[in-house]
Amino acid sequence: MEQPAISDYGFLSDCRSAALVGRNGSIDWWCPDRFDSPSVFARLLDPDGGHWRLAPVGTGHRVQRSYQPDTLVLRTVHHTPEGSVAVTDALAAEQGARAHQLGMHSPAVLLRVVEGLSGRVRMAVDFRPRPEYGLLTPYLREQDDGSVLASAGPVVLVLRCAGLRLRAAEDRVRHSFEVAAGEVVGFDLAYGAAYGDPPVRMDPVASVGDTVRAWQAFRESHHYDGRYAEVVRQSATVLTGLTYARSGAVAAAPTTSLPEKLGGDRNYDYRFSWLRDFAMTMRALWVAACPDEASRLFAWAAYSTGRIGDQPVPVLFGLEGERDISEHLCANLAGYANSRPVRIGNDAWQQRQLDVPGEVVSAIWRLRDYLGDQFGAELGEMVLGLTEQVAATWQLPDRGIWEPRDSERQYLSSKVLCWVAMDRAVRLAPRLGERADARRWAGIRDEIRATVLREGYDERRGAYTGAFGSAELDAAALYLPVVGFLPANDPRMRATIEAIERELGAGGGLIRRWADDPAGFLLCSFWLVECLVLAGERERAERLFAEVAGHVNDVGLLSEQIDPSTGAHLGNTPQALSHIGLINAAWRLTDPTAD
């Protein structure tokens, strides 16, 4: 089978786990227990990784897809010579869940409902589970009620279809049936732990309807009044889908090891939550009128971080606050389009990244008034600990925002975020009690600023560069006006913006992170939109926003990067930072003075 494009995939979520379903009707990725748990379908990363296809017999038919409004319930219409049929796919919400109950007790059930629209269409089912990232081939057993039980290792799956008796071969279920106009056939696939609670049984037709109502009730409780409301609402829905509801953590993406370059080795596991992205995430959730989600994310970060000591604050955590998420390779998986290796876990958790405290303290500053009485002793201790850590370590080298796996350097963006930490801490000092040393902190803040202005600007290039002493441009410099370090129309900042546009621009509104970055990085492109607004170039910013936002796939999803020569999506998908960048840029275009 030809490898589907990354943009061919739609995203299903129950705010516990995620599945990816292709335009061809194949679910090629599902990690049912939670976003970062082992997969049962991984054809996304290997032809033999497991899948569940439900589509008309044959190939070449026309496909139209869309989400049910304000949901992640996906409806795919297949038009064939014999007629048309719709398949509605969803990860089930708990029965009766509404608004912020969504995802708290998700049953881990995939729902697929086939509806005949015209003519008479023969449908094919191909169910081939491979738990533990394809390492296990389960035993398949036909049950008295016509369902099939698949079990191997720690996993139990039950596939059911009311009105059809499914037949199991040695390692898969293959079945065909016809559906005429007006007929409805529903499937449910339920996950359970081999030594825990059994899989849940659900009515697929009724449960799809209930899941739609759960999502729509959630979105109805949030009202965004800014510009570009349609794409902002869609991006906010994607961010909700990437939220692990039990803790409030937002996964960077639901996938691992989708490559930044086809055939390359920069393939990483993004199914975790990064503190580095914290302030941007908080701002996007706030902008999209999701204060409860922002508050839950903050609570997750506070408890995950714990009491601050001398050790650097970790860069990222598991979705329930796990600190050790050590990386290993899945040698049995060939990788997307043979892009090896496939990584599980992410060793960036062990890196020193000095920008992390700045992101967290900035987020606390943003929520200061909303927190009110919740701004108590534990939160104060957190700010004090982070601020003193920055005061003691800001002069050290680190790995920077892009997490290279080579040597540490004096990265410009890290120093700027150290300045952000001290600046916001000075502003928060009246809430921090007698241990807050605002005068000393202000002195360190000013020293950091002077150092960045002196060491970060390269006279040869006429621009701020990626690291002290380097002549290499880095699009992370676009973040300086966004966080308020420099005005966008400061002469040297303006020259930097122009240099990045000229030398890192890749066409299509895309900005590369550095000169030999193989593709445009969407977050950087949205940062440029914000910079242009802040520089007073609103019309050009509007054109750029439309161009960058136009890279969404047919159901409004953005990956991490875009190939400038083909427009193909690259990297893990859907990518939280890309949708966060879209929301924040849309709000900057709505209110240029917004904090």
Side-chain angles (χ1 to χ4, degrees), residues 146-343:
S147 65
V148 171
L149 175 71
S151 57
V155 173
V156 175
L157 298 168
V158 178
L159 176 64
R160 303 182 183 90
C161 178
L164 291 180
R165 176 167 288 277
L166 301 172
R167 298 297 183 186
E170 182 176 343
D171 69 340
R172 70 204 307 164
V173 172
R174 278 184 165 153
H175 194 90
S176 65
F177 62 96
E178 287 191 344
V179 60
E183 293 181 343
V184 176
V185 179
F187 293 80
D188 65 294
L189 174 63
Y191 160 81
Y195 304 103
D197 294 333
V200 175
R201 182 166 194 154
M202 303 186 82
D203 177 335
V205 177
S207 296
V208 163
D210 195 54
T211 299
V212 168
R213 289 188 290 274
W215 277 99
Q216 290 178 341
F218 183 93
R219 192 49 52 202
E220 286 168 4
S221 65
H222 304 83
H223 303 285
Y224 169 77
D225 296 324
R227 300 183 64 188
Y228 309 103
E230 183 176 350
V231 292
V232 168
R233 286 174 68 88
Q234 173 64 10
S235 287
T237 300
V238 172
L239 288 182
T240 300
L242 290 171
T243 301
Y244 182 70
R246 295 176 185 177
S247 68
V250 177
T255 55
T256 180
S257 301
L258 292 181
E260 297 178 11
K261 178 182 178 181
L262 296 183
D265 61 359
R266 287 182 58 86
N267 318 320
Y268 301 113
D269 193 346
Y270 278 15
R271 298 172 298 158
F272 310 106
S273 197
W274 268 252
L275 282 182
R276 183 187 66 234
D277 310 336
F278 193 71
M280 286 180 281
T281 306
M282 296 287 281
R283 181 170 175 240
L285 291 173
W286 194 264
V287 164
C290 307
D292 290 327
E293 291 90 287
S295 297
R296 287 199 300 134
L297 177 57
F298 173 77
W300 164 83
Y303 286 117
S304 298
T305 302
R307 189 176 291 277
I308 307 296
D310 294 332
Q311 293 300 311
V313 176
V315 176
L316 67 154
F317 294 96
L319 300 176
E320 293 184 357
E322 299 88 349
R323 185 161 294 199
D324 186 342
I325 49 175
S326 295
E327 187 177 292
H328 68 275
L329 306 184
C330 267
N332 62 299
L333 295 177
Y336 179 86
N338 293 311
S339 303
R340 281 193 167 106
V342 172
R343 293 181 168 94

Side-chain angles (χ1 to χ4, degrees), residues 11 67 72 230-240 242 250-254 280-281 283-285 287-288 522-523 526 530 545 548-549 551-553 555-560 569 572-587:
F11 170 51
Y67 284 113
L72 291 177
E230 183 176 350
V231 292
V232 168
R233 286 174 68 88
Q234 173 64 10
S235 287
T237 300
V238 172
L239 288 182
T240 300
L242 290 171
V250 177
M280 286 180 281
T281 306
R283 181 170 175 240
L285 291 173
V287 164
L522 287 165
L523 176 64
F526 287 121
E530 293 201 61
F545 180 86
V548 179
H551 288 291
V552 296
N553 74 352
V555 291
L557 303 180
L558 290 169
S559 63
E560 182 179 36
H569 287 210
N572 287 304
T573 194
Q575 175 75 12
L577 275 183
S578 298
H579 287 278
I580 288 164
L582 184 153
I583 293 171
N584 288 340
W587 186 246

Side-chain angles (χ1 to χ4, degrees), residues 12 20 29 44 111-112 118 145 165 221 253 327:
L12 310 178
L20 296 189
W29 184 253
L44 181 70
L111 306 170
R112 312 196 77 177
S118 66
D145 63 356
R165 176 167 288 277
S221 65
E327 187 177 292

